[in-house]
């Protein structure tokens, strides 16, 4: 349990120094979907501060049913209109197949591996764009974060005004 105790000790310092944000609505009306990868400090990467954005994370930063569940609430309850899907270089889901991941994990679920970031981002941006209950979203971008340089590229973008 030493690992867990370390978290509680870390919290003591945090609680003492913390800035309070009263409004649960992200002030930039922004939700970022990204990978769970430990090398991504989402707020630092994008110059964000506490209270400005929702961050929804999973393996790969893919738009799954559960991401859509969160985005439904982000948009309808908490005012989000911009969605960024941020995948990254050296991702564990890149360059592998569902079959390999199913063998490693012993699970038969779909892992949504990434053969090509631009193609995967186009797919995920399209899911957000075309989901009927996410019509409040008017800007979507697909980012790739380079874990070595720290730089972000934007291979995919969509804006409701320009496209519909
Ligand atoms: Zn990843």
């Amino acid at each position: 349990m030493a690992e867990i105790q370390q978290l509680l000790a870390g919290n003591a310092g945090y609680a003492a120094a913390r800035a309070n944000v009263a409004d649960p609505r992200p002030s930039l009306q922004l939700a970022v979907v990204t990978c769970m990868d430990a090398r991504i400090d989402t707020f630092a990467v994008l110059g964000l501060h506490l209270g400005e954005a929702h961050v929804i994370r999973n393996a790969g930063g893919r738009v799954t049913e559960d991401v859509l569940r969160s985005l439904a609430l982000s948009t309808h309850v908490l005012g989000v209109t911009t969605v960024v899907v941020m995948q990254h270089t050296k991702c564990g889901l890149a360059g592998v197949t569902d079959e390999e991941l199913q063998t490693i994990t012993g699970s038969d679920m779909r892992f949504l591996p990434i053969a090509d970031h631009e193609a995967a981002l186009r797919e995920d941006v399209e899911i957000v764009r075309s989901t009927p209950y996410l019509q409040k979203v008017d800007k979507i971008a697909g980012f790739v974060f380079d874990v070595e340089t720290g730089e972000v590229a934007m291979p995919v973008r969509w804006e409701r005004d320009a496209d519909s």
Side-chain angles (χ1 to χ4, degrees):
M1 290 293 279
E3 299 88 347
I4 304 292
Q5 285 302 331
Q6 189 183 334
L7 302 179
L8 296 174
N11 173 253
Y14 171 75
R18 136 175 207 267
N20 229 329
V21 176
D23 192 343
R25 293 170 300 178
S27 61
L28 296 181
Q29 300 181 301
L30 168 68
V32 180
V33 178
T34 194
C35 185
M36 65 188 186
D37 194 290
R39 296 166 291 186
I40 306 173
D41 182 344
T42 312
F43 279 77
V45 166
L46 300 175
L48 295 168
H49 298 99
L50 192 67
E52 291 185 335
H54 283 160
V55 178
I56 305 164
R57 302 186 74 154
N58 63 23
R62 300 304 312 268
V63 175
T64 61
E65 281 297 311
D66 196 62
V67 167
L68 295 176
R69 179 182 70 92
S70 294
L71 288 177
L73 298 170
S74 288
T75 56
H76 289 279
V77 181
L78 294 158
V80 164
T81 56
T82 300
V83 174
V84 169
V85 181
M86 185 169 74
Q87 298 174 1
H88 66 99
T89 62
K90 312 273 183 191
C91 186
L93 279 188
V96 289
T97 65
D98 251 342
E99 294 68 34
E100 288 167 331
L101 295 173
Q102 286 163 353
T103 301
I104 291 166
T105 60
S107 160
D108 62 358
M109 73 178 88
R110 290 180 63 228
F111 284 90
L112 306 173
I114 298 165
D116 171 73
H117 280 297
E118 185 167 338
L121 287 167
R122 284 197 186 288
E123 202 174 293
D124 286 349
V125 165
E126 176 58 21
I127 291 170
V128 175
R129 191 199 65 77
S130 62
T131 295
Y133 54 80
L134 294 181
Q135 295 304 303
K136 286 176 186 287
V137 176
D138 58 14
K139 288 178 287 299
I140 314 171
F143 286 0
V144 180
F145 170 65
D146 186 318
V147 296
E148 290 168 310
T149 67
E151 291 170 348
V152 165
M154 180 171 64
V156 183
R157 59 192 286 185
W158 174 82
E159 235 182 304
R160 187 167 299 284
D161 290 339
D163 198 58
S164 63

